[in-house]
């Protein structure tokens, strides 16, 4: 490998010495594809590459390489940051030759976010400018920008040429909601309570509208984003009803997608917030549902823990009602609910204490006497041992809230630009060097097919000759290698191209992008008029199996009229090891068309998931003879005795 690096580097040096910078750049980019080499070796390739690009007059490409080099220098502590033209390695001359958006990114990387905001505003990128203004603490300027964007999204012609707000597209409703939320945040910082309140009301209504639409078209992950924003709106505005609505729906979606540990973590977060707001009745209800859910997952210690929490919260409800002077019957019912919870756990000493507490309440004498007798029956009893624990740390996952109110508006504003999406990845120091290197190379490819951005303009389609088509195919390949959520928007835009090769390349790229959103483009590919695109889309369907892919895969089976497409989805479902997928496939074996039953049978014979085996063993004796035969065939293929 080192010999190869030295060869191409020397070849590039000789070409540059002759003034042939095109050949020099080609040689260096060829070896730069070896993204696994050490950082020192990689930098030794990029330095002459940046020099050749600068001498050729390709300012955007040269500056892009400088971004990587500067990040490398910073991470290795080779220089101290002294400004744009100092230790961070940026060439001021290049900055005068690149678009405003590139200058903005460079200034932000250098730490001057206020200047970055001004440059983004010059570029016509209002959302990005507002975010930089927020980071600079310039809340009045940010508020003005969010207000302007809100008017664009809700005005007489919204984004994408939508009609006024009442008839706007649901994607526009989502982006309008995010803009309203950002406006409310900034108005609050500017002590404008009236504007903040009005913006919050608009944001909540638009979020609910967008969430309904996303769920109706099977994009639950986008609905989840809506509800996460709703939680954040409630947190920042102190409105518990919004927090509760957001959390309840987030939990519902996580449960439907079988993300069980995430769901339990969201239960705990919701419980914590409810207790902070002293909404003990809502918290107790959440604890009961968490206990039932954990029990269904056979997480018995967690179920016990949530049941004890439920009992404590019902007691808190009773105390709260008494302190508020509420009807004693409400406190009575709360204590009885606590008794039921503790009784389930065998905590009889505490049950007796609660009955004693009931006997002292301001109730009818008959009921007080009844509770006193009940308390007496628990004299001298013992509590059963409890095995109660929260969700273990090794099962917990990072569920921090992503700032979609910023990120999704930036994505919308970038209009599917691969160059801009890759710039975000390249300049993110938290990402591994491997990802940032691939983002660098992908951005350089994107420059060949994406026009230079101009202020506030809709991104044009760019060149359409054979060389551009080949570059777009290569771009699809490079985007797929990044395997990041951020590449989906550029691929979605590329799929709108008329060239068959490009649309096929997009479908090929989707095979390695395991996100529910990938199915949006894949489903479009399944209905493409070109059979080659449909064929590659079906291959993507068969490749996209992961725990929460059940819903989009099952939807394809139910809706597609083409047997090969249904077969691809069924084979993918055979790899989804969940109870829901197992029951769906068993239903196909029992009631599906012969061709679907065959695809299901062959798919299940080649997988190793345990859920279907459990279901097969439980239902084999009660199944029709032909289904029994199929189940035995599947079990034998897996080496399991029927």
């Amino acid at each position: 490998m080192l010999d190869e690096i030295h060869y191409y580097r020397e070849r590039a040096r000789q070409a540059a010495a002759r003034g042939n910078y095109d050949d020099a750049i080609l040689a260096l980019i060829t070896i730069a594809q070896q993204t696994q080499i050490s950082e020192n070796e990689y930098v030794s390739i990029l330095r002459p590459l940046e020099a050749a690009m600068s001498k050729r007059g390709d300012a955007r490409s040269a500056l892009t390489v400088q971004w990587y080099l500067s990040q490398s220098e910073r991470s290795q502590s080779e220089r101290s940051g002294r400004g744009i033209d100092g230790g961070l390695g940026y060439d001021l001359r290049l900055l005068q030759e690149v678009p405003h958006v590139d200058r903005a990114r460079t200034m932000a990387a250098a730490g001057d976010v206020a200047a970055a905001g001004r440059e983004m505003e010059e570029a016509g990128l209002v959302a990005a400018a507002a975010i930089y203004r927020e980071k600079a603490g310039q809340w009045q300027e940010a508020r003005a920008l969010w207000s302007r964007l809100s008017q664009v999204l809700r005005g007489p012609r919204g984004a994408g040429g939508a009609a006024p707000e009442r008839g706007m597209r649901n994607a526009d409703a989502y982006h309008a909601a995010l803009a309203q939320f950002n406006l409310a945040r900034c108005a609050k910082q500017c002590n404008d309570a009236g504007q903040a309140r009005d913006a919050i009301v608009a944001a909540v209504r638009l979020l609910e509208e967008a969430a309904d639409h996303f769920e109706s078209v099977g994009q639950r992950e986008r609905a989840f984003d809506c509800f996460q924003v709703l939680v954040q709106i409630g947190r920042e505005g102190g409105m518990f009803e919004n927090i509760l609505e957001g959390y309840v729906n987030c939990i519902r979606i996580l449960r439907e997608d079988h993300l069980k540990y995430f769901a339990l973590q969201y239960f705990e977060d919701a419980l914590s917030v409810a207790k902070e707001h002293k909404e003990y009745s809502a918290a107790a209800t959440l604890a009961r549902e968490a206990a039932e859910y954990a029990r269904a997952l056979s997480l018995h210690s967690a179920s016990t823990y949530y049941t004890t929490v439920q009992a404590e919260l019902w007691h808190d409800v009773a105390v709260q009602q008494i302190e508020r002077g509420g009807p004693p019957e409400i406190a009575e019912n709360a204590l009885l609910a606590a008794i039921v919870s503790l009784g389930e756990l065998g905590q009889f000493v505490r049950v007796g204490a609660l009955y004693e507490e009931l006997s002292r309440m301001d109730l009818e004498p008959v009921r007080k006497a009844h509770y006193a007798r009940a308390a007496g029956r628990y004299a001298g009893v013992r509590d059963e041992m409890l095995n109660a624990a929260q969700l273990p740390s090794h099962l917990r996952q990072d569920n921090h809230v992503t700032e979609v109110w910023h990120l999704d508006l930036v994505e919308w504003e970038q209009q599917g630009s691969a160059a801009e999406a890759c710039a975000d990845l390249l300049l993110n120091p938290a990402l591994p060097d491997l990802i940032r290197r691939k983002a660098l190379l992908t951005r350089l490819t994107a420059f060949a097919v994406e026009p230079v951005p101009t202020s506030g303009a809709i991104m044009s389609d760019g060149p359409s000759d054979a060389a551009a088509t080949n570059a777009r195919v290569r771009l699809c390949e490079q985007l797929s290698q990044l395997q990041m959520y951020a590449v989906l928007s550029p691929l979605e835009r590329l799929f709108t191209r008329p060239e068959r090769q490009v649309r096929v390349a997009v479908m090929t790229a989707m095979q390695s992008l395991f996100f529910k959103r990938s199915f949006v483009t894949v489903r479009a590919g399944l209905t493409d008029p070109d059979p080659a695109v449909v064929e590659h889309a079906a291959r993507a369907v068969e490749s996209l199996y992961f725990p929460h892919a059940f819903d989009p895969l099952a939807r394809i089976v139910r809706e597609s009229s083409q047997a090969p497409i249904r077969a691809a989805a069924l084979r993918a479902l055979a790899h989804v090891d969940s109870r829901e997928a197992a029951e769906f496939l068993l239903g196909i074996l029992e009631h599906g068309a012969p061709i679907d039953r065959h695809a299901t049978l062959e798919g299940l014979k080649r997988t190793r998931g345990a859920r279907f085996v459990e279901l097969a063993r439980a239902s084999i004796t009660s199944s029709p003879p032909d289904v029994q035969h199929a189940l035995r065939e599947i079990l034998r293929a897996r080496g399991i005795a029927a």
Side-chain angles (χ1 to χ4, degrees):
M1 176 60 69
L2 290 179
D3 289 343
E4 189 178 3
I5 293 173
H6 295 322
Y7 166 76
Y8 277 102
R9 208 162 47 200
E10 178 60 23
R11 179 175 162 181
R13 188 191 65 77
Q14 293 176 5
R18 298 192 304 269
N20 189 346
Y21 297 116
D22 287 344
D23 282 356
I25 291 169
L26 179 61
L28 291 167
I29 287 183
T30 298
I31 195 58
Q33 306 295 328
Q34 305 297 329
T35 53
Q36 302 283 356
I37 61 178
S38 71
E39 182 70 356
N40 287 337
E41 290 292 345
Y42 206 76
V43 167
S44 74
I45 297 167
L46 294 188
R47 291 196 184 284
L49 176 61
E50 183 272 326
M53 288 173 166
S54 294
K55 291 176 181 177
R56 189 178 67 172
D58 189 351
R60 293 197 81 194
S61 296
L63 184 61
T64 296
V65 177
Q66 284 188 10
W67 287 347
Y68 185 94
L69 291 172
S70 179
Q71 293 275 9
S72 178
E73 291 165 0
R74 177 183 294 172
S75 65
Q76 295 180 29
S77 301
E78 293 178 354
R79 298 180 182 178
S80 61
R82 295 193 302 270
I84 295 175
D85 60 341
L88 290 179
Y90 298 125
D91 188 339
L92 277 176
R93 293 169 299 175
L94 288 179
L95 289 180
Q96 306 308 313
E97 301 173 22
V98 298
H100 290 289
V101 63
D102 291 350
R103 288 206 290 273
R105 290 184 182 281
T106 307
M107 292 171 178
D112 192 350
V113 289
R118 291 192 295 272
E119 291 292 340
M120 281 295 188
E121 193 169 353
E122 287 291 332
L125 299 174
V126 179
I131 292 167
Y132 281 131
R133 295 288 195 180
E134 286 186 20
K135 291 178 179 178
Q138 297 174 338
W139 296 104
Q140 289 285 5
E141 292 84 350
R143 178 170 72 154
L145 290 167
W146 289 127
S147 180
R148 188 202 309 176
L149 185 59
S150 296
Q151 292 300 318
V152 169
L153 285 164
R154 300 177 64 196
R157 294 194 65 79
E165 181 183 328
R166 186 171 296 276
M168 67 166 53
R169 297 181 306 170
N170 287 280
D172 289 331
Y174 174 62
H175 294 124
L178 300 185
Q180 287 289 327
F181 176 46
N182 287 318
L183 175 59
R185 292 171 52 253
C186 292
K188 182 179 178 182
Q189 291 288 335
C190 297
N191 297 315
D192 190 340
Q195 186 180 45
R197 181 179 60 253
D198 292 344
I200 284 293
V201 170
V204 169
R205 179 172 51 77
L206 289 165
L207 281 171
E208 291 172 342
E209 174 187 333
D212 287 344
H213 166 72
F214 287 138
E215 291 209 68
S216 70
V217 297
Q219 295 182 38
R220 285 201 298 238
E221 72 282 2
R222 302 301 304 277
F224 183 84
D225 289 340
C226 293
F227 294 124
Q228 277 200 310
V229 177
L230 197 57
V231 170
Q232 193 66 20
I233 286 175
R235 283 182 178 276
E236 298 202 7
M239 295 173 289
F240 179 72
E241 61 273 17
N242 290 332
I243 297 175
L244 184 62
E245 180 185 356
Y247 268 123
V248 166
N249 282 287
C250 283
I251 291 166
R252 173 178 57 80
I253 291 172
L254 291 169
R255 291 177 64 170
E256 290 172 353
D257 283 345
H258 307 287
L259 298 173
K260 52 190 177 183
Y261 301 128
F262 273 117
L264 286 173
Q265 286 176 245
Y266 269 74
F267 267 122
E268 292 184 8
D269 290 346
L271 275 168
S272 177
V273 174
K275 286 190 280 189
E276 287 175 12
H277 285 77
K278 297 185 178 181
E279 296 285 350
Y280 298 125
S281 181
T285 302
L286 287 166
R288 184 190 68 234
E289 293 178 0
E292 293 172 353
Y293 182 56
R295 189 179 303 116
L297 299 173
S298 299
L299 298 172
H300 299 296
S301 61
S303 178
T304 300
Y305 167 77
Y306 293 125
T307 303
T308 60
V309 170
Q310 179 192 168
E312 294 167 0
L313 288 166
W314 283 126
H315 187 266
D316 290 338
V317 171
V319 172
Q320 185 182 62
Q321 285 297 318
I322 293 170
E323 290 177 348
R324 290 177 176 177
E329 290 78 13
I330 296 179
E332 176 190 16
N333 290 333
L335 289 179
L336 289 172
I339 287 171
V340 170
S341 300
L342 293 170
E344 291 177 1
L345 302 176
Q347 301 302 289
F348 302 121
V349 172
R350 295 170 68 185
V351 167
L354 288 177
Y355 274 125
E356 180 66 28
E357 195 170 336
L358 279 165
S359 71
R360 296 194 300 269
M361 289 179 61
D362 184 18
L363 300 170
E364 295 177 1
V366 173
R367 295 217 299 276
K368 293 176 65 174
H370 167 74
Y371 293 136
R373 289 194 299 273
R377 288 197 293 269
Y378 287 91
V381 298
R382 293 182 178 180
D383 287 338
E384 294 181 7
M385 293 292 294
L386 285 183
N387 178 21
Q390 289 180 271
L391 190 67
S393 58
H394 69 277
L395 296 179
R396 293 178 177 273
Q397 302 177 57
D398 183 11
N399 67 341
H400 72 278
V401 177
T402 303
E403 293 185 349
V404 294
W405 48 92
H406 281 170
L407 297 179
D408 283 359
L409 282 173
V410 168
E411 180 193 285
W412 165 81
E413 199 166 53
Q414 288 176 354
Q415 304 177 54
S417 167
E420 296 310 308
C422 289
D424 289 333
L425 300 176
L426 172 58
L427 289 167
N428 185 347
L431 292 176
D433 288 342
L434 177 62
I435 297 296
R436 295 176 50 252
R437 292 174 184 180
K438 290 182 177 181
L440 163 65
L441 296 171
T442 308
R443 179 171 161 87
L444 295 178
T445 301
F447 286 156
V449 295
E450 291 183 1
V452 176
T454 55
S455 179
I458 300 296
M459 190 171 76
S460 64
D461 290 335
S464 57
D465 54 26
T469 296
N470 292 334
R472 288 189 177 93
V473 170
R474 174 61 180 155
L475 181 59
C476 291
E477 295 170 357
Q478 290 177 303
L479 288 168
S480 70
Q481 291 171 13
L482 286 165
Q483 295 188 336
M484 302 287 287
Y485 184 86
V487 308
L488 292 177
S489 180
L491 286 169
E492 289 164 1
R493 181 177 179 86
L494 283 164
F495 188 72
T496 65
R497 295 290 308 178
E499 300 90 353
R500 164 198 279 188
Q501 304 97 304
V502 177
R503 300 203 308 281
V504 166
V506 171
M507 290 298 106
T508 303
M510 288 296 171
Q511 295 180 30
S512 59
L513 297 173
F514 298 99
F515 306 100
K516 286 186 71 176
R517 180 173 167 180
S518 300
F519 283 99
V520 176
T521 306
V522 171
R523 283 168 61 85
L526 294 174
T527 59
D528 195 273
D530 192 313
V533 178
V534 175
E535 179 184 349
H536 283 79
R539 294 179 190 175
V541 168
E542 190 164 351
S543 301
L544 291 174
Y545 53 84
F546 42 93
H548 48 293
F550 169 79
D551 186 63
L553 288 170
R555 182 181 285 259
I556 290 171
V557 174
R558 289 192 296 264
E559 296 179 358
S560 178
S561 60
Q562 300 184 47
I565 292 174
R566 295 198 306 274
L570 288 166
R571 287 192 292 268
L573 280 167
H575 289 276
V576 179
D577 192 21
S578 71
R579 178 78 180 186
E580 192 174 15
E583 291 175 349
F584 183 86
L585 294 173
L586 181 60
I588 295 293
L589 290 174
E590 292 177 344
H591 309 294
I595 194 168
D596 294 341
R597 292 202 299 269
H598 177 75
T600 301
L601 178 64
E602 294 305 309
L604 288 168
K605 286 163 66 174
R606 291 178 173 84
T607 57
R608 290 291 177 265
R611 294 288 187 180
F612 188 83
V613 172
E614 295 171 2
L615 183 61
R617 284 174 160 171
S619 58
I620 192 168
T621 57
S622 59
S623 298
D626 58 334
V627 177
Q628 289 187 29
H629 177 76
L631 294 178
R632 290 192 177 95
E633 190 176 344
I634 292 166
L635 294 175
R636 280 197 301 271
R638 297 193 187 189
I640 301 170

